[in-house]
Amino acid sequence: MPELEWRRLKDRLFTAFCICSTALALIPLGSMLYTIFMKGFSVISLSFLTELPAPPGEPGGGFGNAIQGSLIVVGIASAIGIPLGIAAGMYLGEYPNSRLSRAISFTADVLTGVPSIITGIFAYMLVVLRFGGFSALAGGVALATMMLPFIVRTTEEAMKLVPWELREASLALGATRWRTTLQVVLSTARFGIATGILLTIARIAGETAPLLFTAFNNRFWFDGVMQPVATLPVMIYTYAISPFDDWHAQAWGGALVLVTMILLLNMGVRLATGRRWR
Amino acid sequence: MKLRFPPPFLSSRGVRLTGDLVFQAVLAGVAVLSVIGLAVLLLRELVYGSLPAISEFGLGFLTSTEWNPVRGEFGALPFIYGTVVSSLLALAIGVPLSLGIAVYLAEMASPRVRAVLSPVIELLAAIPSVIIGLWGIFVLAPFVREHLAEPLMSYLGFLPLFEGPAYGYSVLTASLVLAIMIIPIISSISREAILAVPRLQLEGALALGATRFEAITGVVLPYARGAIFGAVMLGLGRAIGETMAVTMVIGNSPQLFTSLLHPGYTMAAVIANEFTEATGELYLAALIEIGLVLFAISMVVNVLARAITWRYMRVQGGA
């Protein structure tokens, strides 16, 4: 029966298409990881991790200040974004049925889609223009803006996973609501919240666009929160688009450091919690 | 049963403690200020920063094609055009592949293969865009220039879309990079949506004699279309706002290209490239206004995406 054969053929072609799509998606990933490892590995050394960048034309030097700066800027972002995000997320998780909560939750969800470069402009207007210059603080504010909606949402989800019966049991024992929230719900949800925080940090640690004109760049070590600071992603970008071959090689070294840090954080969290990748 | 908190009997007996009210008010205050306040402040700063450009150029800013900061000419059309074209092309490449992956992982692969491959594909989403851009400069762009552009020009060169000469840093390369970046998002959400389709639907179609292809395209995908559409919109939002990877491979030339093998420019890329060197109030304001337009477009796409997914989640009863 030709018609049946045609239908079977279409079925086979479809199966082949689906398998090929999956294989095709794995090629760029494999190529990326392979190139980063092959080109980055030969660059990595103790001096690359601990030294200041060499002036153009001179060999050697490292990304030590960029690694330091990234940790500082992400630290500033966390100090701003995490407490605010947890408090807002607690409100959404504990008082979920009001119109206000739904509006806030939806806004946070939409804010997760703000293009990263926009948070850079925002921090530029808010911090750089007002406090006279590029600074680590401005970079931290830009990253905190990216972080906040993710922290809000993961905290909200983690709080909502706590069974309502647990809250009722606490209230039945005579605890007030705020003690119930802080001592019963929050302590039950803390593992989920911590997971969300670490995954958010892994997500923003590699952001470049928000830092280009906030934290800017610096050839020297960190010199206070109101001074420009080098960060790993910006350094990789600067070196990648430079005309020098040895700078390109160092960009791959920086990429290997950054990817290793992010993937270790990511995989460590997911392995520890058995949580799905998302 | 839907549980309400606090249990109704507490509030009905008038048990309302000051401490609880204060606690709720403080949390609500922080939530409103940090989330809604942030959204409002973000919009305010963007509008405020672009005011000089808005009052100088008016609506003509969006339709002018001239971008020559030295002569004080600022038109945003080449960037809007570049963003729209590269994002749509990324969808054209990425959506079929993502659906293929989602169907393979949800319906064809054994649970074991699915458990291994799903996280591997989602690993792509964890790689920072600057590193994807680095790979784009040194691996993908040379590949496009040497192996992809040649056959496209010789077989499809009669179309203006594939007119030579071919550059490595081109709209095509940027769209490929964007496609790679949106595939993990679209495929993972679609995979979950397909897995959530009741098995009876699929089995019913197969029992009626449908092939797997017919059952999937005729029954499973239509059932999951709400979530899939939401996923595609999320991917589009990501592609529109993506900055570094695109900036590094699109060639950064403000023109209304017709050939995809030629360089272009996007809104995010021009901000990333020119912001620090923008001299003069008007230049900076023009860049911020491009940011405002980018923000507006991506917010519309994102609100649509979230509205679709939220509605879908409520209809399907959570997930």
Side-chain angles (χ1 to χ4, degrees):
Chain A
M1 201 197 290
E3 205 226 316
L4 185 60
E5 267 161 34
W6 168 234
R7 287 173 56 199
R8 279 193 179 139
L9 180 67
K10 273 199 291 187
D11 189 50
R12 292 225 180 87
L13 286 176
F14 179 66
T15 309
F17 168 76
C18 291
I19 293 173
C20 289
S21 308
T22 311
L24 205 58
L26 294 174
I27 293 174
L29 179 67
S31 165
M32 264 175 228
L33 295 178
Y34 175 80
T35 336
I36 293 169
F37 194 78
M38 292 311 283
K39 294 199 177 185
F41 200 70
S42 58
V43 180
I44 303 280
S45 64
L46 191 62
S47 64
F48 180 78
L49 296 175
T50 55
E51 279 178 17
L52 285 176
E58 278 179 35
F63 278 19
N65 61 338
I67 296 170
Q68 178 205 34
S70 265
L71 293 177
I72 290 167
V73 172
V74 170
I76 295 173
S78 304
I80 302 169
I82 292 174
L84 289 178
I86 289 181
M90 268 166 63
Y91 176 73
L92 302 183
E94 286 294 275
Y95 308 90
N97 292 324
S98 71
R99 188 170 290 177
L100 180 67
S101 304
R102 274 199 293 270
I104 294 174
S105 187
F106 188 79
T107 311
D109 215 6
V110 171
L111 280 179
T112 59
V114 171
S116 55
I117 189 90
I118 300 291
T119 65
I121 298 184
F122 173 65
Y124 178 87
M125 300 284 299
L126 204 64
V127 184
V128 176
L129 279 188
R130 292 200 168 92
F131 295 92
F134 304 119
S135 64
L137 179 68
V141 168
L143 290 188
T145 310
M146 293 209 71
M147 242 178 141
L148 183 88
F150 287 105
I151 306 268
V152 171
R153 293 287 293 163
T154 52
T155 306
E156 177 189 356
E157 300 299 332
M159 302 283 280
K160 280 183 175 167
L161 282 179
V162 177
W164 293 102
E165 288 82 353
L166 211 59
R167 296 175 172 86
E168 289 175 346
S170 165
L171 289 174
L173 289 172
T176 56
R177 272 198 81 183
W178 66 269
R179 290 196 73 155
T180 304
T181 301
L182 288 180
Q183 293 186 343
V184 178
V185 186
L186 196 60
S187 71
T188 312
R190 68 176 189 276
F191 201 53
I193 295 174
T195 308
I197 289 173
L198 291 177
L199 290 181
T200 308
I201 289 176
R203 186 191 288 263
I204 62 149
E207 281 295 342
T208 316
L211 301 176
L212 286 175
F213 36 82
T214 52
F216 199 57
N217 205 342
N218 194 332
R219 301 202 62 81
F220 304 100
W221 295 103
F222 171 75
D223 185 33
V225 289
M226 295 318 290
Q227 293 300 318
V229 63
T231 53
L232 209 38
V234 173
M235 204 73 149
I236 294 171
Y237 174 64
T238 316
Y239 275 50
I241 60 169
S242 77
F244 315 117
D245 281 339
D246 58 332
W247 280 29
H248 295 162
Q250 293 205 316
W252 286 106
L256 180 58
V257 174
L258 185 60
V259 162
T260 308
M261 278 164 41
I262 287 175
L263 290 190
L264 279 184
L265 192 54
N266 225 307
M267 290 201 284
V269 170
R270 286 172 210 270
L271 283 180
T273 59
R275 191 169 133 156
R276 298 190 63 95
W277 298 68
R278 179 51 65 81
Chain B
M1 189 183 71
K2 197 164 185 183
L3 291 162
R4 221 153 54 81
F5 190 78
F9 67 87
L10 272 185
S11 35
S12 66
R13 292 232 189 124
V15 182
R16 309 212 77 183
L17 301 167
T18 332
D20 288 346
L21 288 177
V22 170
F23 181 68
Q24 182 177 357
V26 168
L27 285 190
V30 174
V32 169
L33 283 181
S34 64
V35 177
I36 304 213
L38 179 66
V40 172
L41 195 61
L42 202 66
L43 190 62
R44 194 200 91 99
E45 293 292 327
L46 285 175
V47 171
Y48 184 73
S50 46
L51 273 182
I54 294 174
S55 60
E56 176 80 20
F57 306 115
L59 278 178
F61 184 72
L62 302 176
T63 53
S64 164
T65 58
E66 288 308 310
W67 181 265
N68 192 333
V70 180
R71 284 197 311 218
E73 293 171 335
F74 299 101
L77 193 60
F79 310 108
I80 299 174
Y81 176 76
T83 296
V84 170
V85 173
S86 60
S87 305
L88 291 182
L89 184 60
L91 282 192
I93 301 167
V95 169
L97 288 177
S98 302
L99 291 184
I101 295 167
V103 169
Y104 172 74
L105 289 178
E107 297 288 350
M108 297 173 181
S110 67
R112 210 164 176 189
V113 172
R114 183 195 309 152
V116 173
L117 281 188
S118 305
V120 169
I121 287 183
E122 283 165 30
L123 194 65
L124 261 178
I127 297 184
S129 65
V130 68
I131 290 178
I132 296 185
L134 181 70
W135 176 81
I137 289 181
F138 293 104
V139 181
L140 187 64
F143 175 81
V144 167
R145 190 173 55 233
E146 282 152 31
H147 301 289
L148 200 58
E150 197 57 43
L152 279 176
M153 279 191 299
S154 46
Y155 293 109
L156 297 166
F158 59 91
L159 293 171
L161 278 182
F162 299 106
E163 210 172 31
Y167 297 83
Y169 300 122
S170 63
V171 180
L172 179 65
T173 313
S175 299
L176 286 173
V177 161
L178 286 176
I180 291 169
M181 299 180 79
I182 61 177
I183 280 174
I185 303 172
I186 303 181
S187 69
S188 66
I189 302 178
S190 305
R191 184 191 68 228
E192 295 303 314
I194 292 171
L195 282 172
V197 174
R199 291 295 89 185
L200 283 175
Q201 299 269 340
L202 177 74
E203 286 163 15
L206 292 175
L208 287 172
T211 62
R212 188 160 61 174
F213 167 67
E214 290 158 347
I216 289 171
T217 52
V219 176
V220 176
L221 290 183
Y223 196 96
R225 68 176 182 272
I228 292 176
F229 190 61
V232 170
M233 294 296 278
L234 274 186
L236 179 62
R238 175 86 200 265
I240 289 173
E242 176 48 43
T243 312
M244 299 319 296
V246 173
T247 310
M248 292 162 88
V249 299
I250 202 169
N252 298 331
S253 154
Q255 52 175 340
L256 295 176
F257 53 86
T258 47
S259 171
L260 301 176
L261 304 176
H262 288 175
Y265 221 152
T266 66
M267 291 189 272
V270 71
I271 301 171
N273 268 328
E274 301 187 10
F275 205 90
T276 45
E277 53 200 53
T279 45
E281 191 196 32
L282 204 55
Y283 192 179
L284 197 62
L287 287 173
I288 297 177
E289 189 177 352
I290 291 180
L292 181 64
V293 176
L294 173 64
F295 180 72
I297 296 178
S298 73
M299 283 303 96
V300 168
V301 171
N302 267 291
V303 166
L304 276 179
R306 309 290 167 176
I308 293 165
T309 2
W310 278 47
R311 211 188 98 203
Y312 170 82
M313 273 169 20
R314 199 168 296 170
V315 173
Q316 302 283 313

